[in-house]
Amino acid sequence: MGTDPSLPNGSEVPLDPAMPHDPYAVYTPQHRTLIRRWFDFLLPHKGWVFALSLVWGLAGVFTFAQLKRDLFPDMNLPILSVLIQSPGRATPELELSVAQPTEQALGGMPGVKRVATTVLPELVQVVVTFDGDTDPWRARQLVAERLTGVIGSFPTGTRPPLMSSASGRLQELMEVVLESEKVDPMKLRDYAEQVLAPRLQSLPGVARVERLGGQERSLQITLIPEKVSSFGVGLDRVMAALEQSHQDMATGVLEIQDKGWFMTVGSLAATPDDVRRLPVQAAKGVVTLGEVAEIREAPAFRRGLARHDGHEDVSLRVVKQPTAATLDVAEGVRTAVVELKQGLPEGMRLEVIYDQGRLVTRALNGVTLALLVGGIFVAIVLVVLLGNLRGALLVLAVLPLATFGAAIPLHFAGLGLNAMTLGGLAISVGLLVDAAVIMVENLAHRLHTHKEQEEPRRVALTRAAAEVATPILIAVLVILAVFIPLLSMGGIAGKLYAPLAVAVASAMTISLVLTFTLVPALVERFLPPDTSLDEPRFVTAIKRIYQPALDWALHHGPLVRVLALGLTIPSIWLAVQLGTNFLPTLDERAFMLLSKVPAESSLEAVDQANAHLDARLKTIPGVESVYRRSGRAEVTEDPCPITDSEIMVILKPDADERTVGQEVMEAAEAMPFPVEVNTPMQERIAEGHRRHARRHPGKGFWPRPGGPSGVDQGTPGAAHEGRGHP
């Protein structure tokens, strides 16, 4: 080894015989590249590298365990749906008194792109689309403020508006039913309203509990014409007496000496006897309402019902808050249901029909298993092809650090673990070790050919690392560039697929950093000087086959090109013929059928028509239960007409989903009305997409596919669209 005392460090700087034209270029700072200087600085401080890598790994594992888990990313968009229900009113009346004032009030808000209105009997839906960069919470506030100004002009009896987001139906977490063959439907509904719904509503993360089915208790007042005429009581006086009976009235404060007493008139009439005693002004004096009318408790008029395996029940749909963790809320609801079962009155049963939490758990477990299996296969391939166990283990050190470490940028980006982020990590497992493989292979090769008498071992490592650093960097950047279009997508697609791009890009970036830091430090510390990556026998055997094939291909170039073209053209044709889906089919162990009977049908006719479909579905082998919701609940984010029904077919654990699905399709096609077959989660995603799609003027229906043919069926109404003003 030669030295030159004229160099800055004197005789301690060795010569480089590999560079006879300039033997000092790799040692003098003014000639070293930035990457080479980085490795020169890094290796003397490898203890810090190990410590920081350990801290990063522990932080990644902790953050990974704390991330919110859900099936899909948060798909809330600045698109709001305002639902206004006015029982008993027809479409023309709602068009003039509710739809037009609401649309005019909402159309002038800042950032509004479009206002679309759909009017159905008893219901108005106004969809407000904001600019893509609008904060969803600010959009809610703006809409709520504008609605406050127009609510006072709505007809008497109109219910307060209900706002929902674009992904409102995705928040429907669980379907719980209260059923009994012996208990009166009104008592079932009373127990659900007074006990079950308040208990479930109080759980953390629950937004509301939608009730449907049973019979809501009401007071029915039937005037007796003869007595009304005899006493000279007008209908207006009866209404005046009833309007004052819904609550007690405060009359002020009575002060007696040094004390003040709050005075209240007990005008609340909560029972039939109280209503009978209400005073009514007659032609000659005052009579009680019970003298001129028959008063009794009776079922209220309803616009929807629920059935489970043929018998009517009360359905409780648990809707979670948009920002709540699905698994945590589902676990809380399951615990509450177990507790509520213990206190049920005799003859009542409480059962969970559909649990989205279990679907999320099953899906995430499947993706996690794929991630683990992918890691195992990568490890096997590395051990087999590298031919050195110690070198393979150094490469594999990058895999958990990059995978778990990706949870940290996901956390700061406001994302959680879901099918998209875990799927992104799963597909990137092989990519994460590519850079480390190249680095370890080159470092090991240089160590094997290194001669200590010519240059120090550390100098050889820094030079070998710098040789492949630039190609590694370019290769990783090219892969990262592929995901830029996913990050730039807008709408629901952008909300869905951008987290996948973030997960892959985070893991790849971390693996690149580890390749430039941890891997060289590990190689210097753990690879011995005589390390050799001998070619494994498996690779040698492959080469015996590949080399003659390659020689033949090089000597028959035109024929090889023709064969390649012959394979490419059919492949392109097959790719064009493939169908397209927004999402792959989910294994939910359940089917969701959407049926639509003629628009003029009553709720009883809707129930009878769907009863035949229920009975046929129940006879299919592999079907555990059939659960149906017809019409709509009193308060709901699903403003479908009463002619629509959702039929959920729950499969047995050992049922063949494909076989059962085929028979379900045949049963749906045999019905005289359109029926569409889907799965619960995918139907809610599709319906949310359809709900906020652009409507065309003149098509007055609630857009919902109706049947295998894919033809939209609808309820006559009115639909129109307006433009907002920035």
Side-chain angles (χ1 to χ4, degrees), residues 296-319:
R296 61 187 180 88
E297 289 185 339
F301 183 74
R302 59 181 181 175
R303 306 300 286 166
L305 57 84
R307 289 190 179 274
H308 180 221
D309 289 340
H311 51 79
E312 190 170 349
D313 55 22
V314 178
S315 166
L316 297 105
R317 174 175 285 172
V318 181
V319 183

Side-chain angles (χ1 to χ4, degrees), residues 128-150:
V128 187
T129 304
F130 288 83
D131 293 330
D133 57 348
T134 304
D135 181 15
W137 296 107
R138 173 169 169 77
R140 280 180 172 270
Q141 181 181 3
L142 291 173
V143 172
E145 291 174 353
R146 290 299 183 94
L147 288 175
T148 303
V150 298

Side-chain angles (χ1 to χ4, degrees), residues 15 21 63-64 72 79 89 210 231 240 261 314 332 357 359-360 382-383 385 435 444 491 600 682 719:
L15 301 178
H21 63 284
T63 306
F64 194 91
F72 295 114
I79 304 176
R89 288 186 167 81
E210 298 179 359
F231 287 106
W261 305 88
V314 178
L359 169 65
V360 173
L382 287 176
V383 172
L385 297 185
E600 299 78 12
Q682 289 188 304

Side-chain angles (χ1 to χ4, degrees), residues 303-576:
R303 306 300 286 166
L305 57 84
R307 289 190 179 274
H308 180 221
D309 289 340
H311 51 79
E312 190 170 349
D313 55 22
V314 178
S315 166
L316 297 105
R317 174 175 285 172
V318 181
V319 183
K320 76 178 185 70
Q321 298 169 2
T323 57
T326 296
L327 297 184
D328 295 340
V329 180
E331 182 62 29
V333 174
R334 283 193 290 267
T335 303
V337 168
V338 173
E339 296 174 355
L340 290 169
K341 284 182 178 180
Q342 298 174 359
L344 286 176
E346 184 178 357
M348 293 187 186
R349 300 188 305 276
L350 190 64
E351 183 178 353
V352 177
I353 297 296
Y354 178 75
D355 185 351
Q356 189 185 118
R358 299 195 185 280
L359 169 65
V360 173
T361 301
R362 191 163 59 245
L364 294 185
N365 287 344
V367 180
T368 305
L369 178 62
L371 179 61
L372 293 175
V373 172
I376 293 173
F377 278 121
V378 168
I380 295 174
V381 170
L382 287 176
V383 172
V384 171
L385 297 185
L386 279 181
N388 185 287
L389 179 60
R390 185 174 297 188
L393 292 178
L394 297 185
V395 173
L396 288 175
V398 173
L399 195 55
L401 290 174
T403 303
F404 287 107
I408 297 177
L410 287 176
H411 170 73
F412 285 107
L415 303 174
L417 294 180
N418 49 65
M420 306 308 293
T421 54
L422 283 175
L425 294 177
I427 63 177
S428 65
V429 166
L431 300 175
L432 297 181
V433 297
D434 284 351
V437 168
I438 297 172
M439 181 66 72
V440 170
E441 194 278 335
N442 197 58
L443 295 179
H445 174 71
R446 291 300 185 188
L447 286 179
H448 182 64
T449 59
H450 167 256
K451 296 180 180 180
E452 186 66 30
Q453 64 272 19
E454 294 184 359
E455 63 178 353
R457 184 170 184 265
R458 179 171 293 173
V459 173
L461 288 175
T462 58
R463 179 150 48 104
E467 287 174 352
V468 294
T470 300
I472 289 174
L473 179 62
I474 294 175
V476 173
L477 291 179
V478 168
I479 295 174
L480 293 178
V482 174
F483 295 94
I484 293 178
L486 290 180
L487 294 172
S488 62
M489 293 174 64
I492 293 181
K495 291 277 188 176
L496 186 64
Y497 292 107
L500 182 147
V502 172
V504 175
S506 300
M508 289 291 297
T509 303
I510 294 171
S511 71
L512 177 65
V513 173
L514 292 173
T515 300
F516 284 3
T517 55
L518 180 63
V519 171
L522 290 174
V523 169
E524 185 185 36
R525 175 63 181 82
F526 294 104
L527 278 190
D530 58 345
T531 296
S532 174
L533 297 183
D534 296 330
E535 189 173 89
R537 296 180 180 179
F538 176 73
V539 177
T540 304
I542 293 178
K543 283 186 175 181
R544 291 196 191 102
I545 302 174
Y546 174 67
Q547 186 170 356
L550 179 61
D551 292 339
W552 182 89
L554 293 177
H555 289 85
H556 300 81
L559 178 59
V560 172
R561 288 190 286 270
V562 170
L563 292 175
L565 185 63
L567 291 174
T568 302
I569 294 177
S571 300
I572 295 175
W573 181 82
L574 289 174
V576 173

Side-chain angles (χ1 to χ4, degrees), residues 141-333:
Q141 181 181 3
L142 291 173
V143 172
E145 291 174 353
R146 290 299 183 94
L147 288 175
T148 303
V150 298
I151 289 177
S153 64
F154 291 165
T156 304
T158 302
R159 293 171 179 164
L162 174 67
M163 273 193 296
S164 64
S165 64
S167 58
R169 293 215 64 194
L170 285 178
Q171 316 305 332
E172 296 173 2
L173 181 63
M174 301 179 77
E175 300 278 357
V176 184
V177 296
L178 177 66
E179 55 190 356
S180 175
E181 293 83 3
K182 300 178 181 180
V183 180
D184 181 69
M186 279 199 298
K187 292 183 179 180
L188 276 180
R189 183 61 181 255
D190 289 345
Y191 191 81
E193 294 280 356
Q194 299 168 11
V195 179
L196 301 183
R199 175 69 177 90
L200 296 175
Q201 184 86 41
S202 65
L203 296 175
V206 174
R208 67 182 179 279
V209 179
E210 298 179 359
R211 285 85 73 188
L212 179 67
Q215 293 179 336
E216 191 173 9
R217 191 178 300 275
S218 67
L219 289 176
Q220 189 176 85
I221 302 173
T222 305
L223 295 178
I224 304 173
E226 296 81 5
K227 293 187 177 182
V228 168
S229 177
S230 173
F231 287 106
V233 177
L235 180 61
D236 57 336
R237 296 179 179 179
V238 174
M239 295 299 297
L242 291 173
E243 287 174 358
Q244 303 298 325
S245 66
H246 69 288
Q247 62 184 5
D248 292 334
M249 292 187 300
T251 58
V253 179
L254 177 62
E255 293 187 353
I256 302 177
Q257 295 180 357
D258 60 341
K259 298 185 181 297
W261 305 88
F262 290 93
M263 307 303 294
T264 302
V265 176
S267 57
L268 174 63
T271 66
D273 290 337
D274 294 337
V275 176
R276 292 188 185 98
R277 290 193 293 267
L278 287 175
V280 180
Q281 185 66 42
K284 297 179 180 180
V286 178
V287 298
T288 63
L289 186 57
E291 295 181 73
V292 296
E294 292 181 357
I295 303 168
R296 61 187 180 88
E297 289 185 339
F301 183 74
R302 59 181 181 175
R303 306 300 286 166
L305 57 84
R307 289 190 179 274
H308 180 221
D309 289 340
H311 51 79
E312 190 170 349
D313 55 22
V314 178
S315 166
L316 297 105
R317 174 175 285 172
V318 181
V319 183
K320 76 178 185 70
Q321 298 169 2
T323 57
T326 296
L327 297 184
D328 295 340
V329 180
E331 182 62 29
V333 174

